[in-house]
Amino acid sequence: MSETENQVDPYLDYAQARRESPVARVGEGRWQIARHSDVNQVLRDNRTFSSDVSLRPAEERQTPGMLFSDPPVHNRLRKLVSRAFKPSHIEAQRPLISAQCTQLIDAMKAQPRLDLVTALAAPLPVTVIAHMLGVQDGDILLFKRWSDAIFSNIGDILFATPSPEAEQAGAEMDTYFIDRIEELRRNPINHLLGRLVETETDEGMLSNAELLSFCRLLLIAGNETTTGLITASVRIFDEFPETLAQLKQDPKLIPTFIEEALRFYSPFSATIRRTTCDTEIAGIKIPKGHLVMPMMASANRDESVFDQADQFLIDRDPNPHLAFGFGIHFCLGAHLARLEGEIAVAALSKNFRTIKLIEKDRSGMSNLGGPSELQVFLEPV
Ligand code: HEM
């Protein structure tokens, strides 16, 4: 690897952080956490490490989504939406995901060189979520545009003033979904949003504002991350070409391949918490009110937990990675992400003899979801 590539490889920085400064102050009131046990401690302890991280005044905030809330608000929201994410409901999406994937892969066979993000990794999850939310086929491009505008401004939405573009996209999306929600209240339909509109537990029902907030969360938490899992899988095919041959020969390895891909190039590389009291991580004192960033991508390469941590072991088991988080915020969409990843990897390994990256740039790998573009060379079977 050249020196320039070294300088932008986040995995080299993670390794250095685990060795030299596992709990590091990286700015005024901000800390990064690099080791598996410490990342686990932060994710597990939601009393000391709050997910309510926004500094925007209460009156400027939207209804808090579950990802950025603590109990009891979080318990209520999680309980209400969990039913709609039951494994049986997710498994029922298999034919739709497979059909969508086949269509995208067929179009890819005609072009030996292409951007994998635009051709497969981005449209697959967006279309899946759009269908689950009842977005009509003709509105999917619109939905993708809103999703991109909201996602690219997530930092400002949480901590500062969102750009006019993000505000506008959010407002347009809200109007669209309010119409859908009203329609579903009159004429129920059995898709994810339809089930969410109807769900009633001892926690009551979801309000329109809560439903809108959940739609936005799905865009942020569910799209780019799954895109990242697909690009990570292709990067692995390039770096460890034997894995493509192994999957062709034995497709039963696909589930452990996916778990190892989640560990090896974790698409949700880090998250954020705020301390609710003075505390300590690995003997380092952290004051109340500071921001703490547990880096799951680094924890997942921790040599003290994973044998041959920098090797991709296609059948690694057990694999206690933290790619889906841990504790009360453990990824609600993990079943869906695994299903989409398995279908995409099965289709790629079945339909292509060779999958190679054209550029080996590693700079976008620590982004949430991975690089925004991945040029690849493909040779169909
Ligand atoms: C490979 C793909 C995915 C990865 C790596 C991933 C990762 C994560 C992680 C690490 C968290 C916890 C964050 C934290 O504790 O701060 C999380 C939460 C969440 N994810 Fe995923 N995710 C993926 C796909 C999805 C999908 C497809 C959906 C839904 C369609 C989804 C919905 C959610 C939701 C709703 C939460 C919040 C859960 C809560 O706060 O209780 N995710 N995800």
Side-chain angles (χ1 to χ4, degrees), residues 103-305:
Q103 203 181 328
L104 295 167
I105 296 264
D106 284 348
M108 286 164 62
K109 286 189 201 159
Q111 316 164 55
R113 284 160 182 258
L114 48 80
D115 170 22
L116 187 95
V117 175
T118 350
L120 176 71
L124 185 64
V126 169
T127 319
V128 170
I129 293 193
H131 273 104
M132 292 174 80
L133 292 176
V135 174
Q136 319 287 317
D137 280 349
D139 296 332
I140 286 185
L141 283 178
L142 199 60
F143 180 75
K144 168 90 178 102
R145 191 171 61 71
W146 295 330
S147 162
D148 288 346
I150 294 174
F151 182 79
S152 59
N153 276 278
I154 179 68
D156 289 341
I157 290 170
L158 275 179
F159 295 109
T161 310
S163 70
E165 193 203 5
E167 294 273 23
Q168 163 87 12
E172 282 177 26
M173 197 177 90
D174 286 358
T175 312
Y176 180 89
F177 278 111
I178 281 291
D179 289 350
R180 296 282 93 72
I181 290 165
E182 296 298 345
E183 176 65 29
L184 286 165
R185 292 203 196 281
R186 289 189 297 271
N187 303 306
I189 301 181
N190 187 21
H191 53 47
L192 177 80
L193 185 58
R195 284 194 294 272
L196 289 173
V197 167
E198 281 191 332
T199 301
E200 188 164 9
T201 67
D202 49 0
E203 303 291 339
M205 294 181 89
L206 289 164
S207 66
N208 281 6
E210 287 168 339
L211 286 163
L212 286 179
S213 158
F214 192 63
C215 291
R216 283 186 185 215
L217 173 59
L218 290 187
L219 296 189
I220 297 164
N223 274 342
E224 306 283 332
T225 46
T226 312
T227 299
L229 172 59
I230 299 171
T231 51
S233 302
V234 164
R235 196 180 280 280
I236 288 158
F237 288 150
D238 175 80
E239 280 174 40
F240 306 93
E242 69 283 4
T243 56
L244 186 60
Q246 285 171 298
L247 294 185
K248 273 184 192 309
Q249 206 177 21
D250 185 2
K252 286 203 212 67
L253 288 169
I254 291 173
T256 48
F257 173 96
I258 292 292
E259 292 312 300
E260 182 68 340
L262 285 161
R263 179 190 78 85
F264 203 76
Y265 288 135
S266 306
F268 201 137
S269 49
T271 187
I272 193 153
R273 299 289 190 263
R274 191 180 289 286
T275 49
T276 57
C277 54
D278 292 350
T279 186
E280 240 181 58
I281 304 177
I284 308 268
K285 291 193 173 12
I286 302 190
K288 177 180 176 180
H290 281 205
L291 285 176
V292 171
M293 285 171 280
M295 299 193 291
M296 289 87 84
S298 170
N300 287 342
R301 295 287 191 102
D302 192 326
E303 304 74 1
S304 68
V305 174

Side-chain angles (χ1 to χ4, degrees), residues 51-52 63-71 73-82 85 206 210 213-214 217-218 221 273 328-332:
S51 290
D52 185 1
T63 316
M66 58 196 290
L67 186 56
F68 301 111
S69 63
D70 295 328
V73 174
H74 178 266
N75 295 352
R76 170 171 183 279
L77 294 174
R78 178 105 188 183
K79 210 166 163 188
L80 278 161
V81 300
S82 290
F85 275 86
L206 289 164
E210 287 168 339
S213 158
F214 192 63
L217 173 59
L218 290 187
R273 299 289 190 263
I328 63 166
H329 293 278
F330 181 84
C331 178
L332 183 70

